Amino acid sequence: MNILSLEHLEKTFTGRMLFDDTGFFLHEGEKVGIIGINGTGKSTLLRIIAGEEEPDSGKVTRANHIVISYLPQSPSFDTGETVLEAVLKRCGDGVSQADAKSMLTRLDIFDFEQPVTELSGGQRKRIALAAVLLKDCDILVLDEPTNHLDSEMSSWLEDRLRAFKGAIIMVTHDRYFLDSVTNRIVELDKGRLYSYETNYSGFLKLKAEREASAAASERKRRSILRKEIEWMQRGARARSTKQKAHIQRYERLRDTEAPETDSSISISSVYTRMGRTTIELLDISKTFGDRKLIEDFTYRFLKNDRIGFIGKNGCGKTTLMKIIAGLEKPDSGEVVVGQTVKIGYYTQEIAADPSAGIAYMNPKDRVIDYIRNTAEYVRTADGIVSASAMLELFLFPGEQQFSPISKLSGGEKRRLNLLRVLMEAPNVLILDEPTNDLDIATLRILEDYLDSYQGIVITVSHDRYFLDRVVGRIFAFEGNGLLRQHEGGYTDYENRIREESAASGGQTSGGTERSGSGKAEKAAETANAASEKARSGRQHEQKLKFSFREQKEFETIEDDIAALEERIETIEAEMNANATNSARLTELSAEAEKSRTELEAKMERWMYLTELAEKIDAQK
């Protein structure tokens, strides 16, 4: 049963067309993931679905008595509200204080009487999530529900959403989460919504097929158009006039818009050469109040290290990143930084205060000025690249570069901040929760960029896929200041914890089982590409050539087409002359239709022979 539909949806925001006469529907029990590049309108779509915002035009229909529970990307709270009051207020009747406290505890919120305004953005998001999950509803609308959740919480939320009997619509960058929870992916692409009846892995395959089909159609259109232009310019080799239908066909081909393809970040590695000494952490200790965050931690970073730090929220991960970056001092121990080390620090949140320094964005500044303040030009493996060109690569087109930062979405600001960090040409990259608020397309390009990056990568992330894809060693915060080293990505760590737990007869602490890691997926992609290349090679070993009949047909087919066009023009002229003679008109109409059918068949045959001739020429 259809419980929600959006028809002929249109919406413009800050001069950008977000939705262009598009539609969306939702059936009972469906679990839908909305994906798309930041700034294209994903959060706006969720607000329209939840009734928090109206479209410029279009129709939104919700089934009778449908209750929607909505988690916004950045929830707001009333001044003076305590944690418990905020949850109970948003849940409505039927939720007890005990239920609310239990849910908050599960999300690592323990001080129920603390004013919400005193909490961090991540804690406020988890309070809003608790209220949304407790509310009795038919549709869950979730905007980035996994942001600010550690890996264990994400696994717990996966299980809860899979068991939810109602429908779900969510925006998330967590690809493992999408794979596990959703049964339909809807992509927002250039103002249109495309639906795929599958999870994220299936979507990747189907989208690739759609884009390949569109690209093949465009190549064929261009090939035909090129021949049609030659045909139109050639004049009459075997004909005296140009047939009207042929000219119209040419004009339709000429005026057809080419399919748009996704912009993508494509950038050569930018870094500064590093000397012999990198960064050394020697017996580092740090406490916060009565909590011991780090105790006697020693590690010497190797060139090209790929290190991931994981652990529960509040365990000290960000504190350790600040110590490495020199923004905070340890209580004891020493941090040795080589003279040639240049650190690029991608922070977890964009600062609103100018005193925050590197993470501050003045909303009145133009986008291009924000980057130019870091570097006007940057040297890459491909040569010197300007700030404007780098912005283009990072999906900021020319007109947007001169807009104020205030017009950007939260995800676009994060992408802009990422570009600023890379423009500094660091040889040590510290990425604190890089996957929060970045779209999947940007994450995939960032991951590819890090593959060729000639420097040290240190990341804090709860994104299991990102860790599998990027890191080769993990340090897990295990409480009371202890950090434990594990080789491999997140799935390797998770499997090792599960094996240790099974050996000791305890319970698994590494989360839910994964069918494979990002590295396994990449290996499979490489194998598939090799197999495809081999197949392609075998196909090319068989040289293409015309048969004797095809060669003779190709030499005369243009004359045949010209003759048919002239015959049709003659018939149409005779039909005009016999407009009052119904019997003759019927005969001529039948003859004209027969000639048009023959012409269409000849044109299709001409297209085939022309493409074959081009392939034969190309292999010479």
Side-chain angles (χ1 to χ4, degrees), residues 90 120 134 140 163 180 254 331 405 429 477 527:
R90 285 159 178 77
S120 68
L134 285 167
L140 277 174
S180 176
R254 179 197 63 194
D331 296 339
I405 289 173
L429 264 177
F477 281 73

Side-chain angles (χ1 to χ4, degrees), residues 391-460:
L391 282 164
E392 288 275 0
L393 291 170
F394 270 68
L395 315 181
F396 293 102
E399 65 275 8
Q400 195 177 21
Q401 295 179 18
F402 294 90
S403 298
I405 289 173
S406 60
K407 289 192 174 183
L408 300 181
S409 70
E412 287 174 314
K413 289 176 183 176
R414 294 275 289 178
R415 190 196 312 146
L416 185 64
N417 187 32
L418 175 62
L419 174 57
R420 176 196 59 78
V421 172
L422 297 181
M423 287 288 283
E424 294 173 349
N427 47 31
V428 176
L429 264 177
I430 299 178
L431 306 173
D432 193 355
E433 292 293 357
T435 62
N436 280 2
D437 299 321
L438 286 183
D439 57 74
I440 290 173
T442 304
L443 286 176
R444 292 175 68 186
I445 300 301
L446 173 61
E447 291 158 359
D448 289 342
Y449 171 84
L450 294 178
D451 283 344
S452 61
Y453 176 69
Q454 298 297 308
I456 296 170
V457 177
I458 307 168
T459 184
V460 168

